[in-house]
Amino acid sequence: MKEIYILGIESSCDETSAAVVKNGREILSNVIASQVDWHQKFGGVVPEIASRKHVELINPVLKEAVEKAGIDWSALAGVAVTYGPGLVGGLLVGISAAKAIALTLNIPLIPVNHLAGHIYANFLTGDEINPPVICLTVSGGHTDLLYFSDLGQYEVLGRTRDDAAGEAFDKIARVLKLGYPGGPRIEKLARKGNEFAIDFPKPLLDQDHYDFSFSGLKTAVLNYANQLTQKGEELPMADLAASFQRTVADILIARVIKAVNTKGVKSVILSGGVAANSRLRELLQKELESLNVSLHYPPPILCTDNGAMIASVGYFLLQRGEISGLELNAVPNLHL
Ligand code: KG4
Ligand code: ZN
C-alpha cells in the first residue's frame, strides 16, 4: 500500500502547530509552538497578539514539522488546515500558509473543522475505536456532547448555554490568581484539597436535556471567595480548587452517563483541552466501568490544540475527496 502523508496546520487559538501524519493514524512529527508566555500576563488569549505570533511562528514550525517527519516536501499528499471555529486572525494565517503550500506543491487543500480535529485526536493513540460512540468535547471554547457515528456524522445532543468548561477553569484560576491557562493549575492545586469541602451548585442537572451551564457555578465560586475575603479570612485555595473541579466533573459525567444509557453505545471518547484533566478521566472511567462501557482519551499533548489531529481528519476527508479550492476562507463560528 502506498503511504499517504498529510501535513496538518492548526492556528485557531494560541498554539501554532504543524504535523505530519502517515495514513491518518501515525504521527511522524507534531510541532507545537505555544504562545502561552505572551498571553499569560493578560489572563487569557489576546487575539491581536495571537495573530502576530502566528505570523512569526508559522514558517519555522512548518519547516521543523517536515524535517522532523524525515520526509521531503514532495512526499506530501495533501495539506489539511483548520478553517474554523476560532479566532479569525489566527485562522487566516494557517489558511494562507496552507494555500501557499497546496499551490506550490500542487497538492489538495483540505479544510478541517477544529472540533472534528479534537475528536480525531483519539484515532492517533492506537486505541481501537468502533463508532457509534458518545463524544464529549470540552475545550476553552466548547462543551459539546455528541453522538458520533462516522466522519461528518455528528448528532449534537447538548452544548453549553454560556461558558465552556475550559473557560470556567480559566476564569476561576484568574480569581484565585493562579495564572493562565487555568485548567492544569487548578488540577495541580486540587490534588492537595478536599473535593467535598464546599458544596457548589450543579445548574440544569435536574432537567431533561443534555445542555450545560457553567456561569452559575463560576458566580458561586466568586461569591464564596469574595465573602471570605471581605471577612478578612484566608481562602482555602486547595479545597476551593478541588471542590470546583469535582463539581465540573460531576456535571459533565452525569450528562455523559445519561447519553450512554439513552443511546446504548459501548464506548465514550473524550476530547479537547479539559480532557487532559486526570480527575475527570478517573471519575468517568469508574462510572463507565460499572456499565461495561470503554473510555478513550488522548494523551495530554493531543488533548490541547495540535496539528496532528488536523492532519488525521485531513487524511479521512481526502479519502472521500472532500477538498477545497483556493477560495477557502476562515469561518470563526463554524459548527460540527
Ligand atoms: O482544546 P484547547 O487547547 O483549546 C481550545 O480549543 O479551546 O483547550 C484549552 C482549554 C483551556 O481552557 C485550559 O484551561 C483547559 O483546556 N485545560 C484543562 C486542563 N488542561 C487544559 N482543564 C482542566 N484540566 C486540565 N488538566
Ligand atoms: Zn481546541
Side-chain angles (χ1 to χ4, degrees), residues 10 12-15 114-115 118 138-142 165-170 180-187 245 271-278 303-305 309:
E10 160 58 39
S12 66
C13 190
D14 62 343
E15 264 96 25
H114 181 80
L115 297 171
H118 275 304
V138 268
S139 71
H142 295 270
E167 199 178 352
F169 270 94
D170 294 336
Y180 174 84
R185 289 154 195 247
I186 288 186
E187 175 172 358
Q245 177 177 266
S271 67
V274 183
N277 188 280
S278 52
C303 283
T304 45
D305 294 348
M309 67 186 195

Side-chain angles (χ1 to χ4, degrees), residues 80-211:
V81 63
T82 301
Y83 73 108
L87 301 168
V88 69
L91 291 167
L92 287 172
V93 174
I95 292 171
S96 307
K99 284 181 185 175
I101 293 166
L103 191 64
T104 316
L105 299 177
N106 194 21
I107 54 175
L109 174 66
I110 314 161
V112 174
N113 184 318
H114 181 80
L115 297 171
H118 275 304
I119 296 172
Y120 273 70
N122 280 284
F123 290 81
L124 292 163
T125 63
D127 278 12
E128 182 72 36
I129 297 170
N130 297 310
V133 300
I134 291 298
C135 174
L136 177 67
T137 302
V138 268
S139 71
H142 295 270
T143 310
D144 296 334
L145 186 67
L146 311 163
Y147 176 73
F148 169 67
S149 45
D150 196 359
L151 183 62
Q153 311 272 309
Y154 316 94
E155 181 190 342
V156 180
L157 302 174
R159 287 209 161 104
T160 184
R161 294 190 176 178
D162 37 61
D163 294 346
E167 199 178 352
F169 270 94
D170 294 336
K171 284 181 176 168
I172 297 304
R174 204 180 313 169
V175 172
L176 300 181
K177 302 198 166 54
L178 296 174
Y180 174 84
R185 289 154 195 247
I186 288 186
E187 175 172 358
K188 193 167 166 220
L189 185 61
R191 286 194 201 116
K192 293 182 273 179
N194 171 4
E195 58 186 13
F196 300 110
I198 310 159
D199 199 14
F200 288 126
K202 294 174 188 158
L204 305 186
L205 268 201
D206 53 338
Q207 296 181 21
D208 193 26
H209 54 69
Y210 292 101
D211 281 352

Side-chain angles (χ1 to χ4, degrees), residues 208-219:
D208 193 26
H209 54 69
Y210 292 101
D211 281 352
F212 303 92
S213 166
F214 291 105
S215 79
L217 170 60
K218 180 188 68 194
T219 311

